[in-house]
Amino acid sequence: SICFGNTTQLTFELTGQSPWNIEYLAGFVTEDTVANASPFTITVGPNFTTTYRLTNVSDGNGCTEAAFPISDSTEATVTVFQLPTAELRINGIFGTSANYCDGEQPALQLQLSGNGPFDVVVEDDLGNLYTRNGAVNGDTIQVNPPLSQSVRYWINSVADNNNPSCN
């Protein structure tokens, strides 16, 4: 499993004489490559969950194997997790400003999507960090702006509950 935008490696264990011509399916698309050594590794980074299946191998002696039964040794699925999204809202409105009186502690509402719960860090332009672990959509983060000073807040990071965690 990988997060959207990342890569992983697929390894081919080959027998016979090099070089090998390898043909495989990436989803429904036929790909081919040449390997000069075994094991041979390729890097893949699909945008969505994709199954890779070995379909044909020929070695340097001209020997060909094209009848690969579907198994764990001839097929691998790369699961792609989409990245989580996050927005901050004040009083339920995105991208707005609000005034608060002395003693009030404003709460920023989190608009989250993805595979939660989420670990969220909000930062302000004074360098303060506010953390909310285990957050779900609609949760709030309490902030403490100084009196008579305008402060901007933004999402510093958001990590989801996938394995691996995407952020």
Side-chain angles (χ1 to χ4, degrees):
S1 297
I2 61 172
C3 297
F4 180 83
N6 290 355
T7 61
T8 191
Q9 294 184 327
L10 301 177
T11 301
F12 298 92
E13 299 281 343
L14 304 163
T15 60
Q17 180 65 41
S18 68
W20 294 271
N21 292 308
I22 302 169
E23 185 178 280
Y24 61 94
L25 286 174
F28 298 105
V29 178
T30 299
E31 302 280 351
D32 53 35
T33 189
V34 176
N36 292 311
S38 180
F40 177 71
T41 301
I42 61 171
T43 300
V44 297
N47 292 329
F48 48 86
T49 297
T50 302
T51 298
Y52 295 84
R53 189 166 76 80
L54 190 60
T55 57
N56 192 331
V57 175
S58 61
D59 72 5
N61 292 325
C63 298
T64 299
E65 177 63 53
F68 293 101
I70 296 175
S71 71
D72 289 344
S73 64
T74 62
E75 185 175 278
T77 298
V78 177
T79 302
V80 179
F81 296 124
Q82 298 305 308
L83 299 177
T85 62
E87 287 183 352
L88 288 178
R89 296 179 184 260
I90 300 173
N91 299 327
I93 303 170
F94 172 73
T96 188
S97 61
N99 295 317
Y100 290 91
C101 297
D102 184 21
E104 292 182 328
Q105 271 198 306
L108 304 177
Q109 185 181 31
L110 299 169
Q111 296 295 305
L112 303 165
S113 68
N115 186 26
F118 305 89
D119 295 334
V120 181
V121 177
V122 172
E123 185 173 357
D124 67 25
D125 54 9
L126 301 175
N128 297 309
L129 298 176
Y130 304 88
T131 302
R132 177 71 188 256
N133 293 322
V136 296
N137 188 44
D139 279 356
T140 59
I141 291 183
Q142 296 293 322
V143 294
N144 191 18
L147 288 176
S148 303
Q149 189 170 354
S150 178
V151 180
R152 290 180 320 137
Y153 298 91
W154 61 89
I155 302 287
N156 174 291
S157 67
V158 58
D160 61 19
N161 198 34
N162 289 318
N163 186 12
S165 178
C166 300
N167 51 21

